[in-house]
Structures are given as C-alpha cells and as structure tokens.
Amino acid sequence: MKETLALILNWNDSLRTVNLVRQLVTLKYDCDILVIDNCSCSREREILESLQTEYGASSFSNSEECERSPNVALRILLLPENLGYAKANNIGLRIAMNNNYKYALISNSDISLESEVLSSLIRCIETSSNIAVVGPKVVTPSGIINRPRRIPDAYEFILRPMFYPLVRIVERFAGVDSHFRLPNLYWVSGSFMLMSIGMVSSVGFFDENTFLYMEEPILAERLKGKDFIMKYCDEVSVKHEFGVSTKKLDKASKILRIQIASEDYFLENYRNYGKILITIVRISRFMYFRTWSPIIMWFNSILFKHKSNTNK
C-alpha cells in the first residue's frame, strides 16, 4: 500500500495540472494522486478528462466515493463550487486520512518538479517525531526564491508597509532579509509541501474561514499549540509560476480584498490583535498601496525603459 497521497488543487489551470501529474508519475517514489478540481469551467474539465485516457484515472463528484483502490493510482474529484484553498485541500486531506495514508503532498497546479523532490521530503519529515510539515526551496521562473517565513509581527504588518522606502534602505544597508528576521522558522510555502496526516489531522487541518491567503501561518499557529513544527528542506527545489491562479480572478481589487480579509482574520484570531491594532494595520496597508506602491511601479518602469534604451 502506498503511504502518500499527492493532492493537486486545480482551478482553470488544467494544462499545468496534467503536466504536473505526468511529472509525479515519473518519480521513483511512488504515490497515489488526487486532482481536486475547484469548479473549473467545462473546457478546463474536458482537458482533465485526458488523464482518464492516459492513466486510467477515475472521476468522482462526491468525496465520499473517492476511496483508495489498488487498481487506480489517479483520481479526479470534481467539486460543484469553488471552495478556495483551505476547504478544498481539507477535503483531500480527509480523504487521505480516511484511506489510511501516512502523508499528503499539497501542491498548486503551477508547480514544476526538477528532481526526486518527494523522496527528499519524506526523508526530511522522518528525521524528527515533531515535524508535521516540510517544504522544499520554491523558485520562480526568474530565479527568485520564495523563502520560508518567520512569524508575522508588527514589523511586517505595520512598520514595513507604512515606512517601506526607509525600511528597504535599512534592510539593504544592513544586509537583512525580512523573511529571516526572527530566530525560528514559522511556515513554509503552501504551494508545495508534505504533511504528516496524523499530526495535521490532530489540529483540524486548515482553518476553513479563509478563502485564499494566510493558510500557512494559520496552520503554523495550530501546529505550535501541539508542539509540532514546520521544516524547510533546501536541498531540493521546485519551480513555481507564482500568481498563475490569482491572475485568473476577475480583478486585482478582488484579490486584494480577499488577501486583506484573510490577514485581518489571522491577526484577530491567531495573533490577538484588537480593533485599534487592526485599524493601524489597515492604515499601513493604505499607505503602501496608495502611496508607496504607485511610486515603486513608476520607478521600475523608468528603470526598465533606461535599460531597454541602453541595450539598443
């Protein structure tokens, strides 16, 4: 019996999902795969149907019917509505738990594998009895590393956005990476991470009160209450086309509203921020998005034009 179930969350990104399935199938470490489709359009679901022909995948519309089978390594769960990141992944995690898998791999559809990453993550999570989640190095196509994060605090939510230009100057001068300011790792990227089903189930999986964003730090808070930790495994990496899914949302303002709602929920329910601090956080966000962000975009456009003219 395979001990790991790979969960791929898909929303109108079926070509990348199919490509990721093909990569997972070729890994030496053998796992079962469950594609969770978050109510994609009919055209995108037709693309997923190619997996039925290619790998003999079984398709389900009810999670209760989506049981482990020794003859079917790939299953597709077609959800009737878009439940967001936390709720949809929780359905997959409960399926993993009910079917006695030891581990679950959580992955976005816009991930590309570069090595035998799953074997390395399994070895890493088994190095200690209190490691609940482990994540690899996540690299964007441009080479930027989405590093693991430290615990979000007033520096990140208030000082940094409100005084961004000054903070960036100080950070660069001091050689400080804001993600690594505090001594202990807090959370790894939710775009690709391996979980211990037993440990994560003991804290109730993801908090389903968020639709998108802040799932990882919220999970980290839950795990911390049980003395479980997340670990960063930088010996292996995956490529992440960051933002592919969110770009498909209707408007940038909608994405921002979702992000703000999730951040406020996290701060109020997991960091014990009161109304006054929440208000200060909102003022800081306003300063960043209304003042500093347009200036940064303008400066970057000038810099890009200058580089383009220099290269002519």
Side-chain angles (χ1 to χ4, degrees), residues 9-15 17 35-48 77-83 109 248:
L9 192 60
N10 178 71
W11 182 66
N12 291 327
D13 195 29
S14 297
L15 286 175
T17 294
V35 175
I36 304 172
D37 184 72
N38 236 341
C39 197
S40 298
C41 65
S42 57
R43 178 175 57 85
E44 292 286 337
R45 286 194 164 179
E46 288 174 2
I47 295 173
L48 291 181
L77 179 60
L78 304 173
L79 298 179
E81 60 179 312
N82 188 346
L83 300 178
S109 57
K248 296 177 185 291

Side-chain angles (χ1 to χ4, degrees), residues 155 160 168 170-181:
Y155 175 84
R160 203 166 191 269
R168 286 300 293 144
V170 173
E171 286 178 353
R172 291 193 177 190
F173 180 78
V176 174
D177 185 331
S178 63
H179 296 170
F180 286 90
R181 288 192 324 102

